[in-house]
Amino acid sequence: MSCTEQGDAGKFLERLLEEFLNPLGTEDPLPVTPLSRKVTMQEVKGESLDLGLRLLSARNAPSWLGAAMCNAAVTELLEDDLSPHYCPKDPEQQPEDEQEAVLLQSEPLQRLFINKLREVCLAWQKQLPSPMSSSSRTHSCSVHAIRNTRRKMEDRHIILREFNQLLGLQDGVDREYYAVFDGHGGVDAATYVATHLHIILSQQEALKSDAATAFKSTFTQTDDMFKIKAKRERLRSGSTGVAALLTSDRLTVSWLGDSQAVLVRQGEPVTLMDPHKPEREDEKKRIEDLGGCIAFMGCWRVNGTYAVSRAIGDFDQKPYVSNEADCSSIQLNGHEDYILLACDGFFDVVRPGDVPELVLEALRETGGSGDDVAQALVAHAKAAGSSDNITVLLVFLKDPQQLLTYETSSRAEPEGATAAATGI
């Protein structure tokens, strides 16, 4: 750890302890609102890490330190006896619901988690664990999201540069995780998958050897978990999504529905995926083979309802709306410029092939600063007629200033620029 990192960490820990002089008592209000009132044991880790990251980032914690602190605190939390926080059993619960019986009250549980964070802070103020530092690779990001003309904002996105530190992976492989989720019929499904998908992914045995297979199992398991919550709380929402796991030499992308990812290499788009839409021939056949249909009602819809053919949630139309994700994995050769993830509010009006020129145009306007590129792309999509929620997330794999050297007339054709997505 560098002296600068150690100094920044020490100052932050000191400030945090000044705010939390004493542990939270049973009647003290929480400084951050939990996502849920009740959670299952499977959901404790995701909900706690979400709350912890929100609490620490709002206080400007160094991201690597916040991730490590949250991991240490949630590890201690899960080693405790949590039975005092169990909710009283519902006397009307049916025998078939026994698997759903154990619920915990979020508010007292999160007080305990915050007190665990405080204990970690006290211990680390005396001595930071070693080794502890940020990832050896730092990729700058640009992200922007707008509600647009819709009544509610139902998109969610997540950026985890410290995937390993947050989730306790220690295999020497740096991992970064990025995702965009596009909710419909409410924000519950998008919020749920943004909170839990990366947790489930980190627990997959296949992650270290086959990230694509791990992703596929992860989406299915996350949907199964959300189904229990949706039944319990009478939720009807759904969410498409696209998630990317980045290591030093490989990019793995997984998706459900029509959110998309585009990789750009030496100024040229690389084909990673084919979004799931009801009108896609193989999707139409899959739905019809199950006894369903697609109908045009302003756009193509599954059984005349949802305009997506694969999603988390939408349980009233399962299995026609599938929870089986597709995945692609591509070897990185060092010539990649960036990866862009966005919802259909962007891609309904922007072709993937137009992305490189739009990014270049935005970089020219900012003199090579990548900070506001996503904002420029969202503004372009809105001006082009998109009325949907719009989220755009760019992860720069090169210095944005360097990308200005690519001009349309002089772009070299990179080897493998049309690499097809590999369905796993």
Side-chain angles (χ1 to χ4, degrees), residues 137 163-164 169-176 208 246-249:
R137 296 178 297 121
F163 183 86
N164 288 5
L169 300 181
Q170 299 178 351
D171 59 352
V173 178
D174 282 338
R175 295 180 180 87
E176 300 174 28
K208 297 176 182 180
L246 184 65
T247 67
S248 60
D249 63 351

Side-chain angles (χ1 to χ4, degrees), residues 251-272:
L251 171 68
T252 303
V253 173
S254 189
W255 69 97
L256 274 179
D258 51 10
S259 296
Q260 295 188 55
V262 174
L263 176 68
V264 174
R265 177 188 286 152
Q266 291 184 311
E268 295 290 341
V270 178
T271 301
L272 290 176

Side-chain angles (χ1 to χ4, degrees), residues 359-418:
V359 171
L360 273 177
E361 182 179 337
L363 287 172
R364 292 187 194 108
E365 292 178 357
T366 63
S369 170
D371 295 345
D372 297 326
V373 171
Q375 185 172 351
L377 296 182
V378 168
H380 174 87
K382 183 176 181 179
S386 177
S387 60
D388 199 355
N389 299 155
I390 308 174
T391 298
V392 173
L393 192 166
L394 283 96
V395 184
F396 289 101
L397 306 180
K398 287 183 179 175
D399 184 339
Q401 185 76 44
Q402 187 179 350
L403 303 185
L404 287 177
T405 61
Y406 299 133
E407 295 296 335
T408 305
S409 60
S410 60
R411 287 177 189 154
E413 180 69 22
E415 184 178 354
T418 58

Side-chain angles (χ1 to χ4, degrees), residues 158-362:
I158 185 165
I159 297 170
L160 285 180
R161 294 186 182 92
E162 292 81 16
F163 183 86
N164 288 5
Q165 290 92 329
L166 181 67
L167 298 164
L169 300 181
Q170 299 178 351
D171 59 352
V173 178
D174 282 338
R175 295 180 180 87
E176 300 174 28
Y177 171 89
Y178 305 91
V180 169
F181 302 106
D182 181 0
H184 51 267
V187 76
D188 300 289
T191 298
Y192 194 90
V193 68
T195 303
H196 296 287
L197 189 77
H198 54 286
I199 309 296
I200 305 303
L201 179 63
S202 73
Q203 297 167 347
Q204 298 296 315
E205 187 174 339
L207 177 63
K208 297 176 182 180
S209 59
D210 187 350
T213 296
F215 255 129
K216 189 165 185 177
S217 297
T218 295
F219 270 99
T220 303
Q221 289 181 34
T222 304
D223 190 52
D224 290 342
M225 286 172 58
F226 182 60
K227 184 176 183 178
I228 295 172
K229 180 182 178 72
K231 180 180 179 182
R232 184 176 70 244
E233 300 182 9
R234 296 178 174 84
L235 306 176
R236 294 178 57 84
S237 62
S239 179
T240 66
V242 58
L245 191 70
L246 184 65
T247 67
S248 60
D249 63 351
R250 183 162 289 276
L251 171 68
T252 303
V253 173
S254 189
W255 69 97
L256 274 179
D258 51 10
S259 296
Q260 295 188 55
V262 174
L263 176 68
V264 174
R265 177 188 286 152
Q266 291 184 311
E268 295 290 341
V270 178
T271 301
L272 290 176
M273 57 171 288
D274 186 7
H276 303 124
K277 297 185 178 183
E279 63 268 30
R280 212 176 85 175
E281 282 302 318
D282 56 343
E283 286 293 271
K284 178 182 178 183
K285 183 177 187 305
R286 176 183 64 79
I287 292 164
E288 291 177 344
D289 286 348
L290 288 168
C293 67
I294 67 167
F296 190 82
M297 302 172 65
C299 62
W300 289 102
R301 296 180 180 272
V302 177
N303 294 331
T305 57
Y306 301 116
V308 297
S309 59
R310 301 197 189 194
I312 296 289
D314 296 334
F315 298 112
D316 59 322
Q317 290 295 329
K318 287 286 194 297
Y320 311 109
V321 175
S322 172
N323 65 3
E324 293 188 14
D326 271 331
C327 306
S328 68
S329 186
I330 188 168
Q331 189 80 22
L332 303 178
N333 61 21
H335 297 297
E336 291 77 20
D337 302 336
Y338 53 85
I339 179 172
L340 178 146
L341 285 71
C343 62
D344 69 324
F346 178 75
F347 281 111
D348 280 349
V349 296
V350 176
R351 296 179 304 174
D354 293 335
V355 166
E357 184 55 40
L358 290 173
V359 171
L360 273 177
E361 182 179 337

Side-chain angles (χ1 to χ4, degrees), residues 107-120:
E107 193 167 312
L109 182 72
Q110 296 308 337
R111 280 196 192 91
L112 178 58
F113 173 69
I114 290 173
N115 287 338
K116 296 291 185 186
L117 274 175
R118 181 180 175 275
E119 292 172 11
V120 170

Side-chain angles (χ1 to χ4, degrees), residues 4 49 127 204 215:
T4 300
L49 290 178
Q127 183 175 0
Q204 298 296 315
F215 255 129

